[in-house]
Amino acid sequence: MRVLVTGGAGYIGSHTTLALLEQGHEVLVVDDLSNSSPESLRRVGELAGREPGFVEANVRDEQALDAAFASFRPEAVIHFAGWKAVGESTQIPLTYYRENLGSTFTLLEAMGRHDCHTIVFSSSATVYGELSEPPFREDAPTGATNPYGRTKHMVEQVLADVSASDPELRVGVLRYFNPIGAHASGRIGEDPKGIPNNLLPFVAQVATGRREKLMVFGDDYPTPDGTGTRDYIHVVDLAAGHLAALDYLGSHDGHHVWNLGTGRPASVLEIVKAYQEASGVAIPYEVVARRPGDVASSFADPSLAEQELGWRAERSIADACADTFRWQSENPNGFAGA
């Protein structure tokens, strides 16, 4: 199958692009490299034995996207491209609405013009907000607590409405929880530009000396140790979930929503402990004020994905910490050190 992957040079996108290539698909990545590196795609090609196609462009660029569709003629799209930091989204909400919604509008319009009728969308557990209690099921009430989550929620609604209006469109919405880990080779992993917004890459950078200490945002949540708990899922398992969704849509019409998570929450301090055990390095940390938009606990009920997609998370937090330590140790400056 010919699959166009938006944001395919990024963390989750690169691992999914590798999985697609390994499964024999043809892949074209469209990415503006605003929070990623072309080196990730070079290494994906190295691992897969063949490189994906690549177009450097923002997905909101209608002309560039049209040209990509016309030349590649994709049969399906996996849509990762977007801005993704909860805290940052509260500071520059207009940028998040413009980028995350605008890119989706441009993408869906291009799909319509070029007879591409299958899309897998990278959504987020943030859409559950505080209206539901974990473990979250796909039919739980939704209502995000921050601009980032609201953009994901809005895109989900757009996809549902467009799907209802177009019986040919097949939509898979993947609400995934907290991706961590790296490829077991140590060749690709999470390489955020600037200060990491996600927990494990920050911990990893503290371990290698790039950061002085970890900031723990609040220790007064109603959780076992007071720090926020999340459902941490290995990025390789997550990539496999995208391929499972793509396979499912090959024989199922309509609009579908699945959680991708483990169903087992872990706290910030549990992650710190697991990484210390994997690396043998002490992780200094400081407890600071809660971060705007964060919730106390978020974890999945992943049973629907197992039932319909035949997918389940197989890798542990210890696996993810070991893989992250390998990636960070071998690439202390990320892809910039290549």
Side-chain angles (χ1 to χ4, degrees):
M1 181 184 291
R2 293 185 304 277
V3 185
L4 187 148
V5 181
T6 74
Y11 174 43
I12 305 167
S14 61
H15 286 81
T16 303
T17 295
L18 174 57
L20 287 165
L21 291 170
E22 289 177 334
Q23 202 175 80
H25 298 286
E26 297 178 51
V27 182
L28 176 67
V29 169
V30 178
D31 197 308
D32 67 2
L33 304 180
S34 60
N35 193 35
S36 57
S37 167
E39 175 66 12
S40 70
L41 294 181
R42 191 194 70 76
R43 295 189 185 187
V44 163
E46 171 191 292
L47 292 167
R50 59 191 180 100
E51 291 194 7
F54 175 59
V55 173
E56 184 176 350
N58 187 296
V59 180
R60 292 192 299 115
D61 184 336
E62 182 178 317
Q63 186 174 357
L65 200 59
D66 253 340
F69 269 83
S71 63
F72 185 62
R73 297 176 294 110
E75 299 164 89
V77 169
I78 301 180
H79 183 29
F80 292 107
W83 290 45
K84 63 175 188 175
V86 169
E88 182 183 60
S89 78
T90 66
Q91 299 163 359
I92 50 171
L94 283 177
T95 299
Y96 273 71
Y97 287 113
R98 180 179 64 248
E99 293 290 338
N100 294 0
L101 295 176
S103 64
T104 304
F105 300 153
T106 304
L107 180 61
L108 288 171
E109 289 165 349
M111 289 177 63
R113 286 192 296 271
H114 294 275
D115 296 318
C116 180
H117 305 294
T118 300
I119 181 170
V120 175
F121 173 58
S122 163
S123 191
S124 167
T126 57
V127 302
Y128 290 114
E130 295 178 327
L131 297 180
S132 309
E133 291 293 324
F136 298 119
R137 289 168 42 96
E138 290 83 352
D139 57 1
T142 52
T145 60
N146 55 74
Y148 161 71
R150 280 189 277 272
T151 66
K152 292 294 189 183
H153 191 215
M154 289 177 181
V155 170
E156 285 196 13
Q157 293 174 310
V158 169
L159 288 170
D161 289 342
V162 175
S163 176
S165 73
D166 180 0
E168 287 191 279
L169 188 63
R170 296 177 172 185
V171 176
V173 172
L174 301 181
R175 292 175 180 163
Y176 42 81
F177 284 67
N178 291 65
I180 58 173
H183 192 265
S185 66
R187 298 296 288 157
I188 59 173
E190 189 167 8
D191 182 29
K193 294 185 178 179
I195 299 174
N197 290 296
N198 296 330
L199 174 60
L200 201 55
F202 203 114
V203 170
Q205 290 187 11
V206 171
T208 58
R210 284 180 66 183
R211 308 285 169 190
E212 179 186 357
K213 58 186 173 183
L214 172 70
M215 299 299 179
V216 176
F217 296 103
D219 64 352
D220 57 350
Y221 285 106
T223 60
D225 63 17
T227 63
T229 64
R230 298 290 183 269
D231 190 334
Y232 294 97
I233 175 174
H234 198 295
V235 67
V236 174
D237 284 333
L238 191 57
H242 289 77
L243 271 65
L246 203 59
D247 289 344
Y248 184 91
L249 295 176
S251 57
H252 294 80
D253 294 330
H255 176 272
H256 308 270
V257 179
W258 299 286
N259 288 332
L260 294 186
T262 67
R264 301 181 296 275
S267 73
V268 173
L269 295 184
E270 286 175 315
I271 294 294
V272 169
K273 180 181 178 182
Y275 198 84
Q276 289 180 151
E277 291 174 351
S279 65
V281 178
I283 308 296
Y285 66 86
E286 177 185 353
V287 176
V288 296
R290 293 185 182 188
R291 185 167 53 181
D294 276 353
V295 296
S297 185
S298 175
F299 61 99
D301 176 345
S303 57
L304 185 64
E306 183 170 0
Q307 173 188 330
E308 293 187 347
L309 304 181
W311 172 92
R312 64 183 300 175
E314 298 179 350
R315 294 162 179 82
S316 67
I317 286 175
D319 294 331
C321 287
D323 291 338
T324 299
F325 178 60
R326 184 180 305 108
W327 151 253
Q328 198 70 61
S329 298
E330 296 178 7
N331 303 271
N333 296 308
F335 293 117

